[in-house]
Amino acid sequence: MTSLFKKYFKIYGRALTLLLSLSFTYANAESPKDELIEKGEYLSILGDCMACHTASNDKPYAGGLEFKMPMGTIVASNITPSKQYGIGNWSKEDFSKAVKKGIRPDGSHLYPAMPYTAFAIINEEDITALYHYFMKGVTPIDEALPITTQLTFPFNLPGIMPIWNLLFTQDSNLTYDLSLTESQNRGKYLVDGLTHCSTCHTPRNQFMAEDYQQYLGGGIADGWHAPNITSDKISGIGGWSQEELFTYLKTGRAFGKSSAAGPMADAIDYSFQHLKDEDLTAIVEYLQTIPPIANPEQKLPAYQYSNQETITWSDFEQYPPHDNQSSFYRDDTTIDGALLYNAACATCHGIQGEGALDQSIPSLTQNSTVGRVDRTNLVLTILEGVHRKPTLNESITLMPAFSLEETEIFSWLSDEQIAAVTNYVTEHFGDGETTLSGVDIEIIKAGGNTPFLVKHASVIAMLGFIAGILIIAIIGRFIFRRCSKRSS
Amino acid sequence: MNHAHIPTLSRRKFLFSSTVITAYMMLSPSAFALNITENRNVSLAKFLTNKPLDQALVDRAFEALIKVDPNFQKKADALCSYIKDQQFQSIETLKKDAHFKKEHQTTARSIIAVFYLGYAGTPIPQAAHDNVRFVTYTEIETFKLTQKYTPIPGYSRWKTNYWANLPTA
């Protein structure tokens, strides 16, 4: 019995030892893969893949987010490892080609709403980590997209994108810049690649391609103005300290400078706040080396404007002409900026635009959004409000939306009223100028002015086709006549 | 030649001295004595409240008071004349006067109340109509009393839950 027990004990002991050693081996074999997935996840955060490829937070990377572009609606694809609806059947080479060149395994082309023009410089090591993360670290979501990309003529024609790529994609070899430090070179790799700052912050030409002559000189993102982030002291970020830039990217706010809204708030929510400090520092250090680009219309740094106009209490506390029950009290159609500001904004931002004492509500004086000569972001902030998730250092940031389309908790303002209140803000707290009308608000709501070629692309394309057919007909007729003459 | 000890009155010194003297005159108790050179209503309101009030606010206050009581301007003028004739220097001396208590105290209280409450008339709770006339909200003196400790109600000037801790006196 004892010997039998010993025998069993030996067998079980050996089995246990073997099992333990196997599990250790397995763990050791798994750990590099885990690290790779972890690295890939971090790289996906750097690339802010979640922001575009997630329409609903409970279905990460399942796609479906719509991008209203001048050439139609582009829908972000499902990039989960779903074999039927996502990228589950893609090889690493397929993945790399899609991310870096914008070409799917079936040969079809992605549109540059996907920043493959920037991702082209991602190195092989990082692509490997990203691929592993999306294949093994992401839950597959087997759902078809409710809507697919719908582009207008002629952008829906096959063969357009290869020509565009040929003309406008840049060299994918990022060279080490000896004039920059190690950290700045890392920053360059991130800014030009994964964090794809240029996608929004560089203006685009008539063909919707980035104008690299104006690199980071200010562009458009989802209708918002993506400010100049070159080292120019007036138009750019030349007047920001390294600490201010770092804090802005980490928290979405730099006191006395700016507070993020719109797409930049998303970028901070999903990406920048989660980055390693050394990567944020690298990005900031590199941005400070970008050659300055000046906007002559911007006379002072946007954050330097203080109270331009004295606020008079009687301007916003209108005296009732009749008794307290008069229609005066029920009139919500006023386009008096002082009344609108003090009814809708002053409660939080203060009568003098001073904001909260701890600046949890930002001041409107010395505020980049208010002081910028381009009013787009100020208008869109009023129209859409601000929704920034809590970061490690900041609580949730909320400002109500005031447009009819966006508001949920406040009575809306008409386009004329939005123009009036924006003018009041810029006149009193910004550069002292009033520049907007209701028509301008309509244009900003529609995403700004569309490049001429894009706006009239269908007409130009049709005229091109007609001209082509005519030329072919003329040449055909000429050949036919010559042939007829020879035969006679 | 050494001019070091010769006292000279520079423009800077002159302006500084003038500012100090003006400030002293403005802030001294007699500054709120009835000023015969300015608008009678403004002068009377300043005297009664002992506060620096602007013309627009006083005009609005008296307009409201007159809407509530059409004879109010006459009463205010009578009070103004009494203060001037008796040469009262401050509200402190005026309020002890027996004749003032008997004849003018209600008028004075009405004027003072407008600047502390921001309206003229008497509110009737839960009534659609009363004789109340709005004057101001942000400019009332009541809020100025607590300005050091709390913003004007409805205006967020501090931070979330700032009232959780008692203000330090």
Side-chain angles (χ1 to χ4, degrees):
Chain A
M1 188 73 183
T2 315
S3 62
L4 191 68
F5 176 78
K6 277 184 179 175
K7 193 179 172 183
Y8 275 112
F9 182 79
K10 268 186 181 177
I11 291 166
Y12 279 117
R14 280 177 187 171
L16 190 68
T17 310
L18 183 68
L19 197 68
L20 280 170
S21 67
L22 273 174
S23 69
F24 274 121
T25 313
Y26 180 76
N28 286 335
E30 281 292 287
S31 65
K33 200 171 76 174
D34 286 348
E35 277 177 23
L36 199 60
I37 290 171
E38 215 172 278
K39 182 184 175 183
E41 183 176 18
Y42 178 70
L43 292 166
S44 78
I45 291 166
L46 268 165
D48 205 5
C49 311
M50 177 83 78
C52 293
H53 286 277
T54 303
S56 169
N57 285 337
D58 57 344
K59 294 173 189 171
Y61 300 118
L65 201 65
E66 295 175 33
F67 295 87
K68 307 280 184 197
M69 312 287 279
M71 62 288 288
T73 302
I74 293 173
V75 182
S77 53
N78 180 332
I79 55 169
T80 70
S82 162
K83 291 195 180 294
Q84 193 178 352
Y85 299 104
I87 59 170
N89 292 321
W90 290 18
S91 67
K92 196 189 87 175
E93 287 66 35
D94 292 338
F95 179 81
S96 177
K97 206 172 175 183
V99 170
K100 296 177 69 166
K101 294 187 173 162
I103 302 169
R104 292 189 193 89
D106 64 2
S108 62
H109 284 259
L110 298 171
Y111 294 98
M114 160 75 178
Y116 60 84
T117 49
F119 291 165
I121 66 166
I122 301 174
N123 62 40
E124 194 58 27
E125 198 183 314
D126 285 352
I127 282 288
T128 303
L130 276 165
Y131 177 72
H132 275 274
Y133 168 65
F134 280 108
M135 289 301 161
K136 296 183 170 66
V138 173
T139 307
I141 292 172
D142 299 307
E143 278 183 32
L145 294 176
I147 180 175
T148 54
T149 296
Q150 300 289 329
L151 295 183
T152 55
F153 176 81
F155 303 104
N156 53 4
L157 292 175
I160 290 274
M161 284 318 297
I163 297 165
W164 191 93
N165 287 339
L166 195 70
L167 291 169
F168 301 115
T169 48
Q170 55 180 340
D171 182 19
S172 62
N173 296 319
L174 182 75
T175 49
Y176 189 90
D177 191 335
L178 292 170
S179 68
L180 301 176
T181 64
E182 187 74 33
S183 176
Q184 287 166 344
N185 266 294
R186 169 70 177 165
K188 183 174 164 57
Y189 172 68
L190 295 176
V191 167
D192 289 354
L194 274 162
T195 58
H196 58 282
C197 307
S198 181
T199 303
C200 298
H201 288 276
T202 296
R204 291 179 182 261
N205 60 23
Q206 286 288 325
F207 297 94
M208 298 296 287
E210 288 172 43
D211 176 4
Y212 294 114
Q213 299 298 311
Q214 298 283 314
Y215 177 62
L216 300 181
I220 295 170
D222 201 13
W224 290 68
H225 172 68
N228 178 331
I229 51 170
T230 68
S231 60
D232 189 82
K233 288 198 181 302
I234 292 175
S235 305
I237 52 162
W240 291 49
S241 71
Q242 193 172 311
E243 192 186 352
E244 283 169 334
L245 286 165
F246 181 94
T247 306
Y248 179 82
L249 293 176
K250 194 79 181 169
T251 66
R253 159 181 312 173
F255 294 138
K257 288 290 190 293
S258 192
S259 179
M264 193 63 202
D266 286 345
I268 282 153
D269 279 349
Y270 290 109
S271 178
F272 288 112
Q273 67 158 313
H274 304 288
L275 302 194
K276 294 170 187 168
D277 286 0
E278 58 264 35
D279 277 345
L280 277 182
T281 303
I283 288 167
V284 167
E285 284 181 359
Y286 173 63
L287 287 177
Q288 290 180 309
T289 70
I290 306 294
I293 292 172
N295 173 6
E297 290 176 352
Q298 190 73 46
K299 306 293 182 206
L300 270 178
Y303 53 82
Q304 254 185 33
Y305 289 102
S306 202
N307 292 80
Q308 303 299 300
E309 290 273 333
T310 311
I311 312 283
T312 309
W313 68 272
S314 52
D315 286 348
F316 61 85
E317 285 198 31
Q318 279 205 353
Y319 195 55
H322 307 294
D323 69 41
N324 294 351
Q325 298 303 313
S326 70
S327 58
F328 169 89
Y329 284 105
R330 295 188 296 276
D331 178 24
D332 60 358
T333 61
T334 180
I335 50 167
D336 184 322
L339 291 183
L340 290 166
Y341 175 81
N342 282 278
C345 319
T347 295
C348 296
H349 289 288
I351 295 164
Q352 303 290 338
E354 66 270 34
L357 284 191
D358 67 344
Q359 288 297 290
S360 53
I361 298 159
S363 65
L364 298 182
T365 55
Q366 299 190 312
N367 180 314
S368 290
T369 309
V370 176
R372 199 168 287 119
V373 72
D374 185 312
R375 310 292 200 224
T376 306
N377 291 2
L378 179 55
V379 169
L380 284 170
T381 301
I382 297 166
L383 288 170
E384 297 180 14
V386 178
H387 319 279
R388 245 188 2 251
K389 290 176 180 150
T391 65
L392 295 169
N393 307 303
E394 295 276 333
S395 57
I396 192 165
T397 305
L398 281 174
M399 171 179 151
F402 290 92
S403 72
L404 172 60
E405 298 82 0
E406 300 277 347
T407 190
E408 288 181 14
I409 60 166
F410 206 87
S411 56
W412 64 88
L413 301 176
S414 68
D415 289 357
E416 286 71 23
Q417 288 175 317
I418 296 281
V421 77
T422 308
N423 284 336
Y424 179 87
V425 167
T426 54
E427 185 181 12
H428 290 81
F429 313 129
D431 56 14
E433 303 294 328
T434 58
T435 58
L436 297 173
S437 67
V439 175
D440 296 316
I441 307 301
E442 267 184 73
I443 292 168
I444 291 169
K445 271 184 177 178
N449 289 315
T450 308
F452 179 85
L453 286 181
V454 174
K455 195 174 181 179
H456 303 287
S458 56
V459 175
I460 293 165
M462 285 303 295
L463 290 172
F465 280 128
I466 292 163
I469 289 163
L470 282 172
I471 290 163
I472 290 164
I474 291 162
I475 292 168
R477 194 178 169 193
F478 176 75
I479 292 166
F480 177 76
R481 279 188 172 186
R482 284 194 68 175
C483 290
S484 300
K485 277 181 181 178
R486 279 181 186 177
S487 59
S488 62
Chain B
M1 202 172 176
N2 189 351
H3 296 282
H5 298 291
I6 299 170
T8 55
L9 183 65
S10 67
R11 190 177 61 153
R12 184 175 293 184
K13 276 183 182 175
F14 171 76
L15 289 170
F16 178 75
S17 311
S18 308
T19 307
V20 169
I21 292 161
T22 309
Y24 175 78
M25 286 171 68
M26 287 278 291
L27 297 170
S28 66
S30 60
F32 295 100
L34 212 52
N35 185 336
I36 52 167
T37 58
E38 68 183 350
N39 174 294
R40 280 170 70 91
N41 288 344
V42 174
S43 181
L44 177 62
K46 280 183 178 178
F47 180 88
L48 294 173
T49 58
N50 212 3
K51 302 285 179 193
L53 304 168
D54 71 55
Q55 172 90 45
L57 184 61
V58 175
D59 287 350
R60 206 184 261 201
F62 273 82
E63 196 177 328
L65 287 164
I66 292 161
K67 275 182 180 173
V68 171
D69 176 5
N71 293 319
F72 193 83
Q73 190 60 64
K74 283 181 188 171
K75 292 174 184 176
D77 289 342
L79 171 59
C80 196
S81 300
Y82 182 69
I83 293 167
K84 200 168 76 173
D85 294 347
Q86 299 300 312
Q87 297 185 334
F88 286 104
Q89 289 302 300
S90 75
I91 185 75
E92 295 304 318
T93 51
L94 176 69
K95 70 184 184 185
K96 292 169 189 165
D97 182 74
H99 180 73
F100 164 76
K101 284 182 186 177
K102 192 178 167 188
E103 294 292 326
H104 303 291
Q105 189 167 268
T106 309
T107 307
R109 275 185 179 163
S110 299
I111 294 169
I112 294 167
V114 169
F115 296 106
Y116 276 86
L117 298 175
Y119 60 83
T122 309
I124 303 170
Q126 298 176 355
H129 296 271
D130 52 27
N131 69 344
V132 168
R133 294 287 177 270
F134 169 77
V135 175
T136 180
Y137 178 70
T138 57
E139 293 298 301
I140 62 175
E141 294 299 326
T142 308
F143 295 153
K144 290 176 186 173
L145 293 173
T146 55
Q147 204 168 23
K148 195 176 164 187
Y149 308 106
T150 186
I152 297 169
Y155 286 86
S156 169
R157 276 193 55 246
W158 306 84
K159 57 185 175 184
T160 311
N161 296 337
Y162 79 93
W163 55 83
N165 302 310
L166 288 173
T168 49

